[in-house]
């Protein structure tokens, strides 16, 4: 048994001090003083936070999920732990289906490896397939040549690992595909040229999520509400890349007011994350990184180099949200959005002991994964 004392413990609805957080591989609860047989860690006034859950991340430290490389997944999982991510969905790009299936096979094996006791990185909870069932008019940095028609059979063949799939609901066959897979995985609307009515039809068919809200979708107008209008007016989950580049910080506040606990912070990070400025690749296409900007040669925005702890800090600082709320957007909200909140996303008894120590600048000073001290 272990216990953390002298910390500001972040709960879903507030923070509490003067208590000890007790855990083994799971959270056991709060108490006034740790039991006598506990290994005690002194937080020295730091925040005690649940581990972050990133449901949309393509790569980090040179690794890209679509490469289908198990060593790359290990490097990614170990690297993002330093940013507070204790569990994640490795996210594929729109690449040829045969390459996607190879990547799915590697993710499948890695899920088992990362779930084993003592694994020294973030746990893979499944896969987010961002495409290839998208609209070429809103492809963003996705490869148009690899876009194919929505196909439920292709997805259901990998239902054991795909937790989230991005689909453009206006494409031929998309609504039937959403209906067919909705009980097996979550569906996110994204890379879409849909009208408001078409987006709402996608939600009615079973989608409940929007991929990197505002980016690669039709915008909000008073006569044509578009996909953004559907996102803001529905109770679906909305992803936000809070790097201050993809979305203006003023819009963070709008999303906060409209979405509440349905707002999900993501990184959409590429293999360039954690590395110096320069030229890299994403989905087989060259991208150019300068500061917080990642672009294709033609200027199209192409993913990010955002770290999740930075996303939490940016969201907190630009919305005025209290620390516990900003953290919830990177932990419990994403966990709920993919249906794993029964074991991930908060420091509630019975959940996995995925725990962080954070300072006031959201720098990660320590991390546990399912009760194992990882750094």
């Amino acid at each position: 048994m272990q216990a953390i004392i002298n910390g500001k413990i972040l709960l879903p609805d507030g923070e509490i001090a003067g208590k000890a957080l007790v855990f083994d591989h799971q959270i056991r609860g709060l108490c006034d003083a740790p039991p006598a047989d506990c290994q005690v860690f002194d937080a020295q006034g730091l925040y005690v936070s649940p581990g972050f859950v990133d449901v949309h991340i393509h790569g980090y430290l040179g690794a890209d999920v679509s490469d289908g490389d198990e060593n790359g997944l290990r490097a990614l999982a170990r690297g993002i732990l330093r940013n507070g991510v204790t569990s994640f969905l490795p996210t594929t790009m729109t690449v040829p289906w045969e390459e996607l299936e190879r990547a799915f096979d590697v993710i499948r094996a890695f899920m088992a490896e990362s779930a084993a006791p003592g694994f020294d990185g973030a746990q893979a909870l499944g896969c987010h397939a961002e495409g290839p069932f998208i609209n070429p008019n809103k492809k963003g940095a996705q490869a148009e040549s690899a876009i194919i028609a929505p196909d439920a059979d292709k997805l259901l063949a990998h239902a054991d690992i795909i937790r989230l799939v991005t689909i453009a609901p206006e494409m031929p066959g998309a609504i039937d595909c959403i209906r067919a897979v909705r009980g097996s995985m979550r569906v996110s609307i994204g890379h879409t040229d849909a009208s408001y009515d078409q987006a709402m039809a996608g939600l009615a068919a079973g989608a409940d999520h929007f991929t990197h809200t505002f980016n690669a979708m039709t915008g909000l107008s008073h006569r044509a509400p578009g996909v953004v209008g559907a996102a803001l007016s529905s109770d679906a989950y909305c992803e936000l890349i809070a790097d201050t580049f993809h979305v203006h910080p003023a819009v963070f506040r709008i999303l906060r007011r409209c979405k509440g606990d349905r707002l999900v912070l993501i990184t959409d990070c590429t293999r360039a994350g954690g590395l110096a400025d320069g030229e890299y690749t994403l989905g087989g296409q060259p991208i150019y990184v300068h500061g917080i900007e990642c672009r294709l040669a033609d200027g199209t925005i192409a993913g990010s180099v955002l770290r999740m702890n930075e996303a939490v800090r940016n969201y907190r600082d630009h919305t005025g949200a209290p620390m516990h709320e900003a953290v919830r957007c990177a932990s419990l909200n994403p966990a709920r959005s993919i249906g794993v909140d029964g074991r991930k996303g908060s420091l509630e008894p019975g959940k996995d002991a995925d725990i962080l120590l954070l300072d006031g600048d959201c720098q990660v000073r320590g991390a546990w994964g399912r009760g194992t001290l990882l750094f």
Side-chain angles (χ1 to χ4, degrees):
M1 198 74 71
Q2 302 172 74
I4 300 174
I5 61 171
N6 296 329
K8 294 176 284 190
I9 301 170
L10 299 176
L11 302 177
D13 57 356
E15 67 178 68
I16 187 169
K19 297 285 186 179
L21 179 70
V22 180
F23 59 97
D24 43 32
H25 67 286
Q26 295 181 325
I27 303 296
R28 296 306 173 191
L30 301 175
C31 59
D32 292 330
D37 59 346
C38 274
Q39 181 180 9
V40 177
F41 297 87
D42 189 342
Q44 298 181 352
L46 295 172
Y47 290 104
V48 182
S49 166
F52 302 146
V53 182
D54 194 347
V55 300
H56 189 153
I57 177 169
H58 298 284
Y60 194 67
L61 293 178
D64 188 304
V65 174
S66 295
D67 290 344
D69 176 16
E70 60 184 17
N71 288 326
L73 277 179
R74 292 186 189 107
L76 166 59
R78 289 167 179 149
I80 61 177
L81 182 70
R82 296 282 170 169
N83 307 330
V85 177
T86 54
S87 51
F88 70 114
L89 294 185
T91 304
T92 53
M93 291 285 291
T94 296
V95 297
W97 186 256
E98 297 76 16
E99 293 181 29
L100 282 176
E101 289 200 303
R102 287 195 292 272
F104 293 159
D105 288 343
V106 171
I107 292 168
R108 183 177 287 110
F110 183 70
M111 284 175 63
E113 178 182 337
S114 69
F119 179 73
D120 59 347
Q123 182 182 0
L125 302 177
C127 173
H128 176 177
E130 190 186 9
F133 312 126
I134 61 175
N135 192 319
N137 293 335
K138 294 288 185 179
K139 66 182 185 300
Q142 309 272 356
E144 184 171 352
S145 61
I147 295 174
I148 58 176
D151 188 328
D153 290 339
K154 280 180 162 57
L155 292 171
L156 292 172
H158 300 280
D160 59 321
I161 66 161
I162 299 177
R163 282 199 171 270
L164 186 63
V165 57
T166 293
I167 296 177
E170 74 279 13
M171 299 303 287
I175 295 299
D176 287 341
C177 180
I178 294 170
R179 290 195 183 108
V181 305
R182 64 185 177 185
S184 301
M185 61 195 68
R186 301 294 180 94
V187 177
S188 187
I189 293 174
H191 287 279
T192 170
D193 205 23
S195 67
Y196 172 83
D197 289 338
Q198 288 171 322
M200 294 303 292
L203 295 177
D208 67 351
H209 200 107
F210 286 87
T211 298
H212 43 51
T213 313
F214 296 101
N215 297 111
M217 61 179 58
T218 49
L220 174 66
S221 170
H222 62 299
R223 292 194 183 94
V227 175
V228 169
L232 296 181
S233 63
S234 70
D235 62 357
Y237 292 94
C238 285
E239 295 179 354
L240 171 65
I241 308 172
D243 60 358
T244 73
F245 169 58
H246 279 79
V247 178
H248 191 284
V251 180
F252 297 2
R253 297 190 288 275
I254 296 172
L255 269 180
R256 182 188 179 207
R257 291 186 180 187
C258 290
K259 302 310 302 184
D261 62 5
R262 297 296 176 116
L263 192 152
V264 173
L265 293 177
I266 62 165
T267 64
D268 196 18
C269 192
T270 68
R271 71 165 85 242
L275 302 177
D277 289 0
E279 181 179 345
Y280 299 91
T281 61
L282 178 64
Q285 301 182 91
I287 61 172
Y288 302 88
V289 178
H290 179 70
I292 63 172
E293 298 185 16
C294 301
R295 296 181 184 269
L296 299 181
D298 65 4
T300 300
I301 297 173
S304 87
V305 289
L306 182 65
R307 297 173 171 89
M308 186 61 88
N309 59 316
E310 295 172 341
V312 170
R313 183 186 63 214
N314 289 341
Y315 181 79
R316 179 197 65 186
D317 292 351
H318 289 289
T319 65
M323 186 68 165
H324 76 270
E325 180 186 331
V327 163
R328 188 178 69 215
C329 291
S331 54
L332 185 57
N333 294 0
R336 282 179 175 159
S337 80
I338 59 169
V340 298
D341 53 303
R343 58 191 176 99
K344 300 289 185 183
S346 65
L347 301 178
E348 296 171 283
K351 294 193 178 184
D352 289 350
D354 296 341
I355 305 168
L356 308 175
L357 297 180
L358 302 174
D359 66 19
D361 194 42
C362 295
Q363 298 303 306
V364 183
R365 302 303 184 189
W368 286 258
R370 285 159 294 151
T372 298
L373 181 63
L374 300 176
F375 76 89

